[in-house]
Amino acid sequence: MAEETVFGKIVSGEIPVEKLVETDRVIAFPDIAPQAPVHILVIPKTTEYADVTELAAADPELLAELVSVAQQLAHEHADGNYRLVFNKGASAGQTVFHVHAHVLAGGLTESSL
Ligand code: 5GP
């Protein structure tokens, strides 16, 4: 079994977060170390998928729901435009191996992320 990640603890409620969106399968909460004026993480509740490649192959509908929630958040917290980042693998900067989308918005510059 995969080792529990910090996001598994957020899903189980062991680590409290401000839930900005919650659906049956997805939650969204602010990144603890924001890299943009709006920096929100969108994650599936399931702990099955370590990264976006695994998620896309196994459950494209769930991946589409992450994108849909990202759009909703961009409307609620910015002008509706957003940058969506998935890091896949340690050498690409992934530190938490529970798939997550970074939603970045609000006064982005070309150089941010
Ligand atoms: P990665 O580097 O894996 O793509 O992104 C992991 C993100 O999770 C980082 O941006 C980091 O700031 C964020 N993060 C790590 N631990 C926590 C936490 O306990 N709470 C929140 N809200 N974000 C976290």
Side-chain angles (χ1 to χ4, degrees), residues 6-7 10 15 17 29-33 39 41 87 93-96 100 102:
V6 65
F7 293 169
I10 286 172
I15 296 176
V17 289
F29 51 90
D31 195 290
I32 203 168
H39 187 171
L41 300 172
N87 294 324
Q94 186 174 7
T95 58
V96 180
H100 53 280
H102 296 259

PDB file of all heavy atoms in Angstrom, residues 6-7 10 15 17 29-33 39 41 87 93-96 100 102, ligand 1:
ATOM      1  N   VAL A   6       0.491  13.837   3.075  1.00  0.00           N
ATOM      2  CA  VAL A   6      -0.162  14.936   3.784  1.00  0.00           C
ATOM      3  C   VAL A   6      -1.567  15.185   3.209  1.00  0.00           C
ATOM      4  O   VAL A   6      -2.499  15.530   3.954  1.00  0.00           O
ATOM      5  CB  VAL A   6       0.731  16.203   3.739  1.00  0.00           C
ATOM      6  CG1 VAL A   6       0.898  16.723   2.328  1.00  0.00           C
ATOM      7  CG2 VAL A   6       0.224  17.281   4.634  1.00  0.00           C
ATOM      8  N   PHE A   7      -1.753  14.958   1.910  1.00  0.00           N
ATOM      9  CA  PHE A   7      -3.080  15.199   1.338  1.00  0.00           C
ATOM     10  C   PHE A   7      -4.064  14.099   1.764  1.00  0.00           C
ATOM     11  O   PHE A   7      -5.264  14.363   1.892  1.00  0.00           O
ATOM     12  CB  PHE A   7      -3.011  15.321  -0.185  1.00  0.00           C
ATOM     13  CG  PHE A   7      -2.275  16.552  -0.661  1.00  0.00           C
ATOM     14  CD1 PHE A   7      -1.931  16.690  -1.995  1.00  0.00           C
ATOM     15  CD2 PHE A   7      -1.938  17.577   0.210  1.00  0.00           C
ATOM     16  CE1 PHE A   7      -1.252  17.827  -2.445  1.00  0.00           C
ATOM     17  CE2 PHE A   7      -1.248  18.718  -0.220  1.00  0.00           C
ATOM     18  CZ  PHE A   7      -0.904  18.839  -1.561  1.00  0.00           C
ATOM     19  N   ILE A  10      -5.324  15.348   4.891  1.00  0.00           N
ATOM     20  CA  ILE A  10      -6.286  16.439   4.679  1.00  0.00           C
ATOM     21  C   ILE A  10      -7.643  15.848   4.289  1.00  0.00           C
ATOM     22  O   ILE A  10      -8.689  16.250   4.811  1.00  0.00           O
ATOM     23  CB  ILE A  10      -5.739  17.432   3.626  1.00  0.00           C
ATOM     24  CG1 ILE A  10      -4.618  18.263   4.270  1.00  0.00           C
ATOM     25  CG2 ILE A  10      -6.849  18.309   3.060  1.00  0.00           C
ATOM     26  CD1 ILE A  10      -3.838  19.155   3.325  1.00  0.00           C
ATOM     27  N   ILE A  15      -5.678  16.583   9.181  1.00  0.00           N
ATOM     28  CA  ILE A  15      -5.099  17.930   9.071  1.00  0.00           C
ATOM     29  C   ILE A  15      -6.211  18.842   8.559  1.00  0.00           C
ATOM     30  O   ILE A  15      -6.728  18.635   7.461  1.00  0.00           O
ATOM     31  CB  ILE A  15      -3.913  17.964   8.085  1.00  0.00           C
ATOM     32  CG1 ILE A  15      -2.774  17.099   8.602  1.00  0.00           C
ATOM     33  CG2 ILE A  15      -3.450  19.399   7.848  1.00  0.00           C
ATOM     34  CD1 ILE A  15      -1.594  16.984   7.654  1.00  0.00           C
ATOM     35  N   VAL A  17      -8.132  21.968   6.896  1.00  0.00           N
ATOM     36  CA  VAL A  17      -7.868  23.000   5.882  1.00  0.00           C
ATOM     37  C   VAL A  17      -9.149  23.784   5.659  1.00  0.00           C
ATOM     38  O   VAL A  17     -10.244  23.332   6.021  1.00  0.00           O
ATOM     39  CB  VAL A  17      -7.423  22.399   4.519  1.00  0.00           C
ATOM     40  CG1 VAL A  17      -6.028  21.816   4.593  1.00  0.00           C
ATOM     41  CG2 VAL A  17      -8.434  21.403   3.977  1.00  0.00           C
ATOM     42  N   PHE A  29      -8.435  23.575  -1.600  1.00  0.00           N
ATOM     43  CA  PHE A  29      -8.033  24.351  -0.422  1.00  0.00           C
ATOM     44  C   PHE A  29      -6.809  25.186  -0.799  1.00  0.00           C
ATOM     45  O   PHE A  29      -6.069  24.830  -1.729  1.00  0.00           O
ATOM     46  CB  PHE A  29      -7.738  23.414   0.761  1.00  0.00           C
ATOM     47  CG  PHE A  29      -6.786  22.303   0.430  1.00  0.00           C
ATOM     48  CD1 PHE A  29      -5.424  22.457   0.588  1.00  0.00           C
ATOM     49  CD2 PHE A  29      -7.260  21.081  -0.077  1.00  0.00           C
ATOM     50  CE1 PHE A  29      -4.541  21.432   0.266  1.00  0.00           C
ATOM     51  CE2 PHE A  29      -6.380  20.049  -0.414  1.00  0.00           C
ATOM     52  CZ  PHE A  29      -5.016  20.230  -0.231  1.00  0.00           C
ATOM     53  N   PRO A  30      -6.552  26.282  -0.065  1.00  0.00           N
ATOM     54  CA  PRO A  30      -5.411  27.136  -0.410  1.00  0.00           C
ATOM     55  C   PRO A  30      -4.084  26.412  -0.185  1.00  0.00           C
ATOM     56  O   PRO A  30      -3.938  25.674   0.797  1.00  0.00           O
ATOM     57  CB  PRO A  30      -5.534  28.320   0.560  1.00  0.00           C
ATOM     58  CG  PRO A  30      -6.922  28.256   1.109  1.00  0.00           C
ATOM     59  CD  PRO A  30      -7.349  26.829   1.048  1.00  0.00           C
ATOM     60  N   ASP A  31      -3.127  26.668  -1.083  1.00  0.00           N
ATOM     61  CA  ASP A  31      -1.774  26.141  -0.879  1.00  0.00           C
ATOM     62  C   ASP A  31      -1.159  26.846   0.330  1.00  0.00           C
ATOM     63  O   ASP A  31      -1.315  28.051   0.508  1.00  0.00           O
ATOM     64  CB  ASP A  31      -0.922  26.374  -2.135  1.00  0.00           C
ATOM     65  CG  ASP A  31       0.336  25.534  -2.117  1.00  0.00           C
ATOM     66  OD1 ASP A  31       1.244  25.827  -1.285  1.00  0.00           O
ATOM     67  OD2 ASP A  31       0.447  24.591  -2.909  1.00  0.00           O
ATOM     68  N   ILE A  32      -0.431  26.073   1.145  1.00  0.00           N
ATOM     69  CA  ILE A  32       0.162  26.630   2.369  1.00  0.00           C
ATOM     70  C   ILE A  32       1.292  27.616   2.052  1.00  0.00           C
ATOM     71  O   ILE A  32       1.618  28.469   2.881  1.00  0.00           O
ATOM     72  CB  ILE A  32       0.666  25.467   3.269  1.00  0.00           C
ATOM     73  CG1 ILE A  32       0.754  25.876   4.714  1.00  0.00           C
ATOM     74  CG2 ILE A  32       1.976  24.903   2.769  1.00  0.00           C
ATOM     75  CD1 ILE A  32       0.968  24.706   5.664  1.00  0.00           C
ATOM     76  N   ALA A  33       1.875  27.518   0.870  1.00  0.00           N
ATOM     77  CA  ALA A  33       2.999  28.381   0.475  1.00  0.00           C
ATOM     78  C   ALA A  33       2.704  28.968  -0.913  1.00  0.00           C
ATOM     79  O   ALA A  33       3.268  28.521  -1.913  1.00  0.00           O
ATOM     80  CB  ALA A  33       4.296  27.589   0.458  1.00  0.00           C
ATOM     81  N   HIS A  39      -3.589  30.837  -5.251  1.00  0.00           N
ATOM     82  CA  HIS A  39      -2.897  29.544  -5.412  1.00  0.00           C
ATOM     83  C   HIS A  39      -3.669  28.506  -4.601  1.00  0.00           C
ATOM     84  O   HIS A  39      -3.579  28.452  -3.377  1.00  0.00           O
ATOM     85  CB  HIS A  39      -1.448  29.638  -4.937  1.00  0.00           C
ATOM     86  CG  HIS A  39      -0.635  28.412  -5.221  1.00  0.00           C
ATOM     87  ND1 HIS A  39       0.723  28.366  -5.034  1.00  0.00           N
ATOM     88  CD2 HIS A  39      -0.985  27.164  -5.680  1.00  0.00           C
ATOM     89  CE1 HIS A  39       1.183  27.168  -5.361  1.00  0.00           C
ATOM     90  NE2 HIS A  39       0.157  26.412  -5.739  1.00  0.00           N
ATOM     91  N   LEU A  41      -5.099  24.395  -4.356  1.00  0.00           N
ATOM     92  CA  LEU A  41      -4.870  23.006  -4.752  1.00  0.00           C
ATOM     93  C   LEU A  41      -6.213  22.306  -4.892  1.00  0.00           C
ATOM     94  O   LEU A  41      -7.091  22.466  -4.038  1.00  0.00           O
ATOM     95  CB  LEU A  41      -4.020  22.289  -3.700  1.00  0.00           C
ATOM     96  CG  LEU A  41      -2.634  22.895  -3.463  1.00  0.00           C
ATOM     97  CD1 LEU A  41      -1.960  22.227  -2.264  1.00  0.00           C
ATOM     98  CD2 LEU A  41      -1.759  22.772  -4.705  1.00  0.00           C
ATOM     99  N   ASN A  87       2.588  18.861 -11.318  1.00  0.00           N
ATOM    100  CA  ASN A  87       3.953  18.350 -11.325  1.00  0.00           C
ATOM    101  C   ASN A  87       3.877  16.834 -11.275  1.00  0.00           C
ATOM    102  O   ASN A  87       3.129  16.266 -10.472  1.00  0.00           O
ATOM    103  CB  ASN A  87       4.720  18.882 -10.117  1.00  0.00           C
ATOM    104  CG  ASN A  87       4.918  20.390 -10.189  1.00  0.00           C
ATOM    105  OD1 ASN A  87       5.123  20.939 -11.264  1.00  0.00           O
ATOM    106  ND2 ASN A  87       4.842  21.059  -9.054  1.00  0.00           N
ATOM    107  N   GLY A  93       9.546  18.533  -9.658  1.00  0.00           N
ATOM    108  CA  GLY A  93       9.110  19.364  -8.540  1.00  0.00           C
ATOM    109  C   GLY A  93       7.990  18.779  -7.705  1.00  0.00           C
ATOM    110  O   GLY A  93       7.521  19.423  -6.763  1.00  0.00           O
ATOM    111  N   GLN A  94       7.534  17.565  -8.031  1.00  0.00           N
ATOM    112  CA  GLN A  94       6.453  16.983  -7.227  1.00  0.00           C
ATOM    113  C   GLN A  94       6.996  16.558  -5.865  1.00  0.00           C
ATOM    114  O   GLN A  94       8.017  15.855  -5.781  1.00  0.00           O
ATOM    115  CB  GLN A  94       5.823  15.783  -7.938  1.00  0.00           C
ATOM    116  CG  GLN A  94       4.589  15.259  -7.189  1.00  0.00           C
ATOM    117  CD  GLN A  94       3.836  14.158  -7.922  1.00  0.00           C
ATOM    118  OE1 GLN A  94       4.288  13.657  -8.961  1.00  0.00           O
ATOM    119  NE2 GLN A  94       2.706  13.775  -7.371  1.00  0.00           N
ATOM    120  N   THR A  95       6.314  17.025  -4.819  1.00  0.00           N
ATOM    121  CA  THR A  95       6.729  16.674  -3.453  1.00  0.00           C
ATOM    122  C   THR A  95       5.675  15.862  -2.725  1.00  0.00           C
ATOM    123  O   THR A  95       5.973  15.195  -1.742  1.00  0.00           O
ATOM    124  CB  THR A  95       7.039  17.939  -2.627  1.00  0.00           C
ATOM    125  OG1 THR A  95       5.878  18.775  -2.604  1.00  0.00           O
ATOM    126  CG2 THR A  95       8.211  18.709  -3.210  1.00  0.00           C
ATOM    127  N   VAL A  96       4.420  15.945  -3.181  1.00  0.00           N
ATOM    128  CA  VAL A  96       3.335  15.198  -2.538  1.00  0.00           C
ATOM    129  C   VAL A  96       2.767  14.234  -3.579  1.00  0.00           C
ATOM    130  O   VAL A  96       2.262  14.669  -4.626  1.00  0.00           O
ATOM    131  CB  VAL A  96       2.226  16.138  -2.016  1.00  0.00           C
ATOM    132  CG1 VAL A  96       1.120  15.314  -1.357  1.00  0.00           C
ATOM    133  CG2 VAL A  96       2.797  17.163  -1.033  1.00  0.00           C
ATOM    134  N   HIS A 100      -2.537  16.238  -7.589  1.00  0.00           N
ATOM    135  CA  HIS A 100      -3.135  17.532  -7.259  1.00  0.00           C
ATOM    136  C   HIS A 100      -2.888  18.518  -8.387  1.00  0.00           C
ATOM    137  O   HIS A 100      -1.827  18.519  -9.008  1.00  0.00           O
ATOM    138  CB  HIS A 100      -2.568  18.087  -5.949  1.00  0.00           C
ATOM    139  CG  HIS A 100      -1.076  18.146  -5.901  1.00  0.00           C
ATOM    140  ND1 HIS A 100      -0.319  17.030  -5.620  1.00  0.00           N
ATOM    141  CD2 HIS A 100      -0.205  19.157  -6.118  1.00  0.00           C
ATOM    142  CE1 HIS A 100       0.958  17.359  -5.657  1.00  0.00           C
ATOM    143  NE2 HIS A 100       1.067  18.641  -5.971  1.00  0.00           N
ATOM    144  N   HIS A 102      -2.460  22.484  -9.229  1.00  0.00           N
ATOM    145  CA  HIS A 102      -2.231  23.830  -8.707  1.00  0.00           C
ATOM    146  C   HIS A 102      -3.047  24.776  -9.582  1.00  0.00           C
ATOM    147  O   HIS A 102      -2.824  24.848 -10.802  1.00  0.00           O
ATOM    148  CB  HIS A 102      -0.770  24.239  -8.841  1.00  0.00           C
ATOM    149  CG  HIS A 102       0.208  23.424  -8.039  1.00  0.00           C
ATOM    150  ND1 HIS A 102       0.737  23.856  -6.851  1.00  0.00           N
ATOM    151  CD2 HIS A 102       0.767  22.216  -8.283  1.00  0.00           C
ATOM    152  CE1 HIS A 102       1.598  22.954  -6.393  1.00  0.00           C
ATOM    153  NE2 HIS A 102       1.636  21.942  -7.247  1.00  0.00           N
TER     154      HIS A 102
HETATM  155  P1  5GP B   1       3.982  19.663  -5.502  1.00  0.00           P
HETATM  156  O1  5GP B   1       5.333  20.254  -5.210  1.00  0.00           O
HETATM  157  O2  5GP B   1       3.912  18.218  -5.035  1.00  0.00           O
HETATM  158  O3  5GP B   1       3.499  19.844  -6.905  1.00  0.00           O
HETATM  159  O4  5GP B   1       2.953  20.497  -4.641  1.00  0.00           O
HETATM  160  C1  5GP B   1       2.705  20.273  -3.307  1.00  0.00           C
HETATM  161  C2  5GP B   1       2.120  21.548  -2.766  1.00  0.00           C
HETATM  162  O5  5GP B   1       1.487  21.249  -1.535  1.00  0.00           O
HETATM  163  C3  5GP B   1       3.146  22.650  -2.478  1.00  0.00           C
HETATM  164  O6  5GP B   1       2.810  23.801  -3.241  1.00  0.00           O
HETATM  165  C4  5GP B   1       3.010  22.887  -0.973  1.00  0.00           C
HETATM  166  O7  5GP B   1       3.134  24.249  -0.619  1.00  0.00           O
HETATM  167  C5  5GP B   1       1.635  22.327  -0.663  1.00  0.00           C
HETATM  168  N1  5GP B   1       1.485  21.779   0.684  1.00  0.00           N
HETATM  169  C6  5GP B   1       2.312  20.893   1.289  1.00  0.00           C
HETATM  170  N2  5GP B   1       1.844  20.591   2.525  1.00  0.00           N
HETATM  171  C7  5GP B   1       0.694  21.272   2.672  1.00  0.00           C
HETATM  172  C8  5GP B   1      -0.244  21.367   3.741  1.00  0.00           C
HETATM  173  O8  5GP B   1      -0.132  20.742   4.800  1.00  0.00           O
HETATM  174  N3  5GP B   1      -1.329  22.177   3.544  1.00  0.00           N
HETATM  175  C9  5GP B   1      -1.490  22.873   2.378  1.00  0.00           C
HETATM  176  N4  5GP B   1      -2.578  23.633   2.296  1.00  0.00           N
HETATM  177  N5  5GP B   1      -0.638  22.808   1.357  1.00  0.00           N
HETATM  178  C10 5GP B   1       0.455  22.028   1.503  1.00  0.00           C
END
